[in-house]
């Protein structure tokens, strides 16, 4: 799929500027990560995923309880494009505001273009972008608001998480009478519940 | 003295539902006092409804878990059966479709907004439940449909039922490149 490759390359080149680092897949599953042995799945993909030797973050990675698979969440408004909210959860690769705006605007355009280029009729845009070092899951509501999450490759159940976040958005943002539509979201209750939802998701993932 | 048994949850909920009716009544009353002109009040109620509708649609989509409607007929059925039920606890029936399938009427069996209400002679031009028109219009606009919603029959004005007319003016899907109005 030429388009997928082109989009992937474009996105990867953009995100390679950001210190999003990959981790060995088996780290997620084993209590004592063995970085030397790549997991069968990563071998099948033809790549060996090793965590880069950065001294500061190594200590954190050894403890799976602090392992954070969800890197960041973003919320884009479709109509008048604006990035309404972005939140970093990952321990590696924090993006500052400019970077996140760049990602958001890039994604917004790509999502829209993909809708037009898609060979299937009635396509509603990209739902999943899989790259070597991250996955990007996107959910678009029928009103045009897009939610996307950048996470570790192969992270499961992100669609369910995005649905939960959509519900949180309808409750704590839209029902707040002081929130102006299509403005950046500054609702504490939303932030609180969002963190809880991501936390719960993280715990659930570790439990499996 | 006989002990009073525990009240059933339904009875208590009914009392709380009254609060909604009373609150709405207070809003209409205040608007009449502030604006004094019945037509202005109608417009304000519609605008308020519009603001509510633009926010309510996302909740409806999130909680009702429905997929995109194929045509306007399905949309109207959704509003009548699922939408009204979810937010007002009543259902409506859809009637009177025109040939193109862009205009229909919705008949409300019950209307919780108008419990205990009687319109005085001074407010005869008032559409008491005009907020509902705005809600539907606002909600549909957020899903790319421009509509016109008006009251055809209103019990408070002497008719025998509450009947809304929902007319689809045009579909306005968002296409790339989006218009940027800044």
């Amino acid at each position: 799929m030429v388009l997928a490759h082109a989009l992937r390359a474009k996105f990867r080149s953009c995100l390679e500027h950001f210190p999003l680092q990959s981790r060995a897949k088996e780290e997620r599953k084993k209590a004592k990560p063995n970085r030397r042995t790549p997991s069968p799945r990563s071998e099948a993909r033809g790549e060996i995923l090793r965590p880069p030797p950065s001294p500061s973050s190594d200590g954190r990675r050894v403890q799976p309880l602090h392992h954070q698979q969800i890197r960041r969440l973003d919320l884009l408004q479709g109509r008048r494009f604006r990035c309404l909210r972005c939140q970093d959860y990952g321990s590696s690769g924090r993006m500052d505001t400019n970077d996140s705006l760049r990602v958001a605007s890039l994604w917004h355009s790509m999502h829209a273009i993909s809708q037009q280029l898609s060979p299937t009729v009635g396509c509603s845009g990209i739902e999943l972008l899989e790259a070597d070092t991250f996955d990007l899951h996107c959910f678009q509501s029928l009103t045009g608001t897009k939610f996307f999450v950048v996470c570790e490759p192969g992270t499961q159940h992100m669609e369910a998480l995005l649905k939960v976040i959509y519900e949180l958005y309808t409750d704590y943002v839209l029902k707040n009478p002081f929130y102006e539509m299509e403005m950046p979201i500054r609702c504490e209750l939303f932030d609180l519940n969002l963190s809880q939802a991501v936390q719960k998701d993280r715990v659930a993932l570790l439990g499996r | 003295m006989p002990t009073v048994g525990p009240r059933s949850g339904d009875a208590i909920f009914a009392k709380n539902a009254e609060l909604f009716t009373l609150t709405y009544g207070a809003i209409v009353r205040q608007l009449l006092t502030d604006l004094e002109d019945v037509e202005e009040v109608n417009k304000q109620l519609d605008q308020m409804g519009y603001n509510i509708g633009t926010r309510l649609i996302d909740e409806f989509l999130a909680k009702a878990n429905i997929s995109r409607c194929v045509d306007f007929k399905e949309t109207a059925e959704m509003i009548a059966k699922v939408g009204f039920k979810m937010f007002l606890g009543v259902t409506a029936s859809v009637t009177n479709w025109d040939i193109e399938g862009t205009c229909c009427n919705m008949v409300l069996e019950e209307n919780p907004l108008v419990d205990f209400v009687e319109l005085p002679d001074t407010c005869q031009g008032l559409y008491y439940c005009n907020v509902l028109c705005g809600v539907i219009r606002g909600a549909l606009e957020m899903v790319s449909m421009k509509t016109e919603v008006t009251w055809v029959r209103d019990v408070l004005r002497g008719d025998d039922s509450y009947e809304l007319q929902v007319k689809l003016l045009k579909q306005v899907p968002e296409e790339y490149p989006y218009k940027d109005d800044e």
Side-chain angles (χ1 to χ4, degrees):
Chain A
M1 282 264 298
V2 175
L3 176 64
H5 282 310
L7 288 174
R8 215 168 100 158
K10 177 98 178 118
F11 212 74
R12 185 179 16 198
S13 69
C14 194
L15 276 144
E16 255 158 22
H17 294 300
F18 311 127
L20 292 175
Q21 320 232 328
S22 75
R23 289 167 215 202
K25 276 201 198 290
E26 68 274 14
E27 266 193 301
R28 286 196 286 280
K29 290 162 196 163
K30 298 182 196 163
K32 282 192 186 151
N34 182 357
R35 291 186 207 118
R36 297 293 166 208
T37 320
S39 66
R41 184 168 165 193
S42 64
E43 263 190 329
R45 267 166 58 164
E47 21 182 339
I48 294 173
L49 304 168
R50 277 193 217 284
S54 56
S56 56
S57 44
D58 258 354
R60 270 188 280 176
R61 285 212 195 95
V62 175
Q63 300 162 42
L65 284 174
H66 295 296
H67 183 96
Q68 297 172 31
Q69 290 177 276
I70 297 160
R71 297 234 183 92
R72 56 177 298 103
L73 285 164
D74 272 287
L75 166 52
L76 292 178
Q77 179 67 284
R79 189 154 276 122
R80 279 163 224 134
F81 156 66
R82 241 171 259 201
C83 180
L84 299 182
R85 185 83 179 86
C86 52
Q87 183 73 40
D88 275 303
Y89 292 99
S91 53
S92 63
R94 300 229 157 220
M95 284 195 217
D96 67 8
T97 325
N98 285 337
D99 290 342
S100 58
L101 282 178
R102 200 177 300 143
V103 171
S105 64
L106 175 70
W107 181 250
H108 180 74
S109 311
M110 275 172 55
H111 193 271
I113 294 170
S114 70
Q115 255 178 288
Q116 303 207 332
L117 288 178
S118 168
T120 57
V121 177
C123 170
S124 61
I126 305 176
E127 286 178 0
L128 170 60
L129 179 77
E130 283 175 323
D132 293 333
T133 53
F134 68 93
D135 278 356
L136 190 150
H137 294 254
C138 181
F139 168 71
Q140 183 178 34
S141 72
L142 291 172
T143 53
T145 313
K146 290 185 265 299
F147 300 80
F148 71 86
V149 57
V150 177
C151 56
E152 294 271 320
T155 314
Q156 303 290 317
H157 308 289
M158 286 292 106
E159 288 86 29
L161 177 67
L162 284 169
K163 290 260 162 58
V164 167
I165 292 169
Y166 184 39
E167 282 192 34
L168 290 179
Y169 168 72
T170 65
D171 283 337
Y172 295 105
V173 178
L174 293 181
K175 287 187 193 162
N176 183 347
F178 298 107
Y179 167 69
E180 271 184 62
M181 294 284 284
E182 290 160 22
M183 287 310 226
I185 295 169
R186 300 199 201 291
C187 306
E188 273 182 38
L189 281 175
F190 179 63
D191 294 343
L192 191 65
N193 282 276
L194 191 58
S195 308
Q196 281 177 0
V198 172
Q199 194 68 36
K200 217 189 312 183
D201 195 83
R202 198 180 298 156
V203 169
L205 282 166
L206 288 172
R208 287 196 191 102
Chain B
M1 189 165 138
T3 49
V4 179
R7 277 218 188 135
S8 76
D10 282 333
I12 297 174
F13 179 72
K15 290 291 171 193
N16 290 339
E18 270 181 28
L19 182 60
F20 169 63
T21 309
L22 290 173
T23 308
Y24 184 70
I27 291 173
V28 177
R29 200 66 194 82
Q30 193 59 47
L31 281 173
L32 280 165
T33 310
D34 290 341
L35 301 170
E36 287 170 14
D37 175 33
V38 161
E39 272 314 309
E40 268 305 308
V41 175
N42 283 338
K43 258 191 250 170
Q44 274 300 312
L45 286 173
D46 186 75
Q47 185 59 39
M48 280 167 55
Y50 178 82
N51 294 336
I52 295 172
T54 54
R55 291 169 183 245
L56 216 57
I57 180 69
D58 269 312
E59 172 164 5
F60 176 69
L61 292 172
K63 306 259 164 88
N65 225 356
I66 51 178
S67 52
R68 187 176 281 278
C69 290
V70 171
D71 57 10
F72 189 62
K73 288 199 173 170
E74 203 180 328
T75 308
E77 287 292 329
M78 275 297 161
I79 297 172
K81 299 286 180 272
V82 187
F84 274 114
K85 189 77 191 172
M86 199 190 267
F87 296 110
L88 285 180
V90 299
T91 46
S93 46
V94 185
T95 61
N96 241 7
W97 278 105
D98 71 343
I99 310 163
E100 291 108 50
T102 56
C103 186
C104 68
N105 287 14
M106 285 191 204
V107 183
L108 283 160
E109 280 122 46
E110 289 169 1
N111 190 344
L113 292 174
V114 300
D115 291 341
F116 324 123
V117 177
E118 276 175 28
L119 276 189
D121 294 328
T122 49
C123 303
Q124 281 306 311
L126 181 68
Y127 285 110
Y128 187 81
C129 310
N130 222 23
V131 76
L132 293 178
C133 295
V135 170
I136 296 175
R137 186 170 64 89
L140 288 177
E141 192 163 312
M142 293 300 277
V143 279
S144 327
M145 283 180 255
K146 255 193 131 47
T147 53
E148 197 178 87
V149 187
T150 46
W151 285 105
V152 172
R153 287 195 289 172
D154 190 334
V155 171
L156 292 177
R157 296 177 114 194
D159 302 309
D160 55 358
S161 64
Y162 290 100
E163 195 167 320
L164 279 166
Q165 186 188 71
V166 184
K167 187 165 155 182
L168 175 67
L169 298 174
K170 59 175 172 164
Q171 301 257 12
V172 277
E174 289 281 337
E175 296 263 328
Y176 188 81
Y178 300 115
K179 284 189 292 295
D180 204 6
D181 55 6
E182 33 197 356

